[in-house]
Amino acid sequence: MALTDSTARKDQHLDVILAGKARHGRASGFADIHFVHEALPDLDHGKIDLGADFLGRRLKAPLLISAMTGGPDRAEAINARLAEAAQHLGIALAVGSQRAALAVDGPTPGLDMAVRLKAPDTPILANIGAAQLTRGFGLDEARRVLDMIAADALIVHLNPLQEACQPGGDRDWWGVGAALESLVKALDAPVVVKETGAGLSAATAKRLFDMGVAAIDIAGAGGSNWAMVEGERAVDPADKAHAAAFSDWGIPTARAIAEARAACPKATIIGSGGVADGVDAAKAIRLGADMVGQAAGVLTAATVSTEAVVAHFQTVIRQLRTVCFCTGSPNLTALRKAPLQG
C-alpha cells in the first residue's frame, strides 16, 4: 500500500474515533465492579503513593498513554503533545503504529527523535503490527523502529478482527505466532504484546508469557471497536454488513484482566479498553492490572493542546487517588487487596 493510501487510512481512523462512531457494543465490565467504601480512612489524601515501576523506570502514576495517531501531519502534533504531557505527569507513552515509517528513509514526521527529546524521562514504547512479522518485518526493522524514537520497548499489536474487516487487510496470519516468538527471543529490548480492542484470553496471555514477552496489554472489549471503525470507512455495502456483525465481539476488559492475572500470576499486565476515568483505572488495578492504558479517552484532548492532555490525566490521577483514599489504601499494593462488594 502506498504511503498516501496509508496516510489517508490513518486519518480516516482518527476521524471515526473522534466522531464517536467506534464505540463497542459490549461494555467493559467495570460498571459491575464496586469497592467497599471506607468511611473512616486513616490516611492523608495528599500522601497516597500512586508510584509504579515500569520498564525499569519509576512512574508517578500507573498510567500508559496508548496513542492512536493519524497521518504524518496530524501525528507530529499529537505525538508532541502526548510526549510533553507524559514527561510532565511522569507516566508512560506508546506511539501509534510505525509501519509507514519503515517505508521511508530518515526521520519520519511525528515519529522521530523529537518524541524522546520532549520526554527524556518517560518510558516510550515503539509500535508495529504482528501481521507484518510474516511480511518482511524482522529483527532489523524492529531495531529500526526502536532507534527512531529511542524507545525503551517494542509493542507488537494484535488486530486480527480489524484486518479481517479492513478492505485489503492482512488476513493471512499463518506463522505469525512463531515469528513473534522468534522476535521476542532475538530482540535486545523488551517486547510488549497488546490486542486492539477485542481482548486477550487467559490462554493467549499464558502463551505470550511462555514466549518471554515483557508485558501484555489486555485491550479488551468496551473501548474502541476496530471492526466498527473499518465498517465506517467501508464503501462496499457488503463490507459494511460484514463489519456490523462484530459490534459486540470480544472479551470485556474487566473479565480479561482478572482471567489473565489468574493464569499468569507473576506477569506484568496492562489493563486497557474502555477505561473511562480514574475509578475504572482503580478497578483495573484491583482486578490484576499493573498499569492502565487509555487511548481514545484522551484523543480529543491530544488534538487540542498539551495542556488539555495534562488536565485530562490530572483528573484521572485525582480520581484514582480518591479511590485509594475511600478504600483505605495508602498505595497501589494495598489497592490490589481492597475489598469489593459482593
Side-chain angles (χ1 to χ4, degrees):
M1 181 178 291
L3 272 179
T4 53
D5 294 338
S6 177
T7 295
R9 174 167 52 83
K10 288 179 180 296
D11 279 334
Q12 289 168 0
H13 288 163
L14 193 64
D15 290 336
V16 171
I17 293 167
L18 287 169
K21 297 180 179 179
R23 295 194 181 111
H24 210 286
R26 194 165 191 183
S28 66
F30 290 127
D32 298 325
I33 308 298
H34 302 279
F35 287 99
V36 173
H37 175 63
E38 175 53 71
L40 190 61
D42 291 314
L43 293 175
D44 180 342
H45 186 283
K47 293 183 179 179
I48 291 171
D49 181 12
L50 299 180
D53 294 317
F54 184 59
L55 298 177
R57 297 178 188 245
R58 185 68 176 175
L59 303 179
K60 294 180 180 178
L63 300 174
L64 169 68
I65 304 174
S66 299
M68 288 186 292
T69 56
D73 291 341
R74 296 169 88 175
E76 184 172 8
I78 289 174
N79 279 315
R81 292 164 186 157
L82 294 177
E84 289 171 344
Q87 175 69 21
H88 178 80
L89 295 160
I91 62 177
L93 170 66
V95 303
S97 175
Q98 292 168 263
R99 177 180 181 179
L102 293 173
V104 298
D105 295 322
T108 303
L111 287 173
D112 59 20
M113 201 60 72
V115 173
R116 172 54 77 192
L117 293 175
K118 291 179 181 295
D121 304 309
T122 297
I124 296 178
L125 289 76
N127 187 339
I128 195 70
Q132 279 67 66
L133 296 179
T134 56
R135 292 168 176 77
F137 180 91
L139 187 59
D140 289 343
E141 289 77 14
R143 287 172 174 159
R144 181 179 167 194
V145 297
L146 286 164
D147 290 345
M148 72 171 65
I149 56 172
D152 297 275
L154 175 69
I155 278 185
V156 179
H157 65 262
L158 308 177
N159 63 337
L161 178 60
Q162 179 187 6
E163 296 290 357
C165 294
Q166 182 183 113
D170 295 321
R171 298 186 178 94
D172 182 0
W173 280 54
W174 180 259
V176 171
L180 174 60
E181 184 169 9
S182 295
L183 179 65
V184 170
K185 294 183 184 305
L187 189 64
D188 48 354
V191 175
V192 178
V193 177
K194 70 163 290 172
E195 235 287 338
T196 57
L200 292 174
S201 68
T204 299
K206 189 174 186 308
R207 179 184 176 191
L208 291 168
F209 278 108
D210 287 345
M211 289 182 187
V213 303
I216 58 168
D217 186 339
I218 291 296
S224 295
N225 181 323
W226 285 88
M228 300 302 291
V229 172
E230 296 301 344
E232 285 290 328
R233 289 185 59 243
V235 175
D236 189 330
D239 289 337
K240 288 184 175 294
H242 173 258
F246 296 91
S247 64
D248 64 350
W249 184 269
I251 308 167
T253 301
R255 176 178 174 179
I257 293 171
E259 292 182 352
R261 175 54 68 201
C264 309
K266 296 183 179 180
T268 298
I269 295 175
I270 303 165
S272 69
V275 176
D277 50 37
V279 177
D280 282 354
K283 292 175 181 179
I285 292 168
R286 174 60 180 81
L287 292 171
D290 298 285
M291 295 279 293
V292 180
Q294 262 199 337
V298 71
L299 191 56
T300 297
T303 64
V304 176
S305 66
T306 298
E307 292 75 17
V309 177
V310 169
H312 169 88
F313 279 109
Q314 283 176 332
T315 297
V316 171
I317 292 168
R318 180 181 177 186
Q319 292 163 340
L320 175 57
R321 189 181 302 279
T322 296
V323 172
C324 288
F325 185 59
C326 291
T327 57
S329 304
N331 51 44
L332 298 181
T333 299
L335 179 63
R336 292 187 177 97
K337 300 176 182 179
L340 298 175
Q341 297 181 36

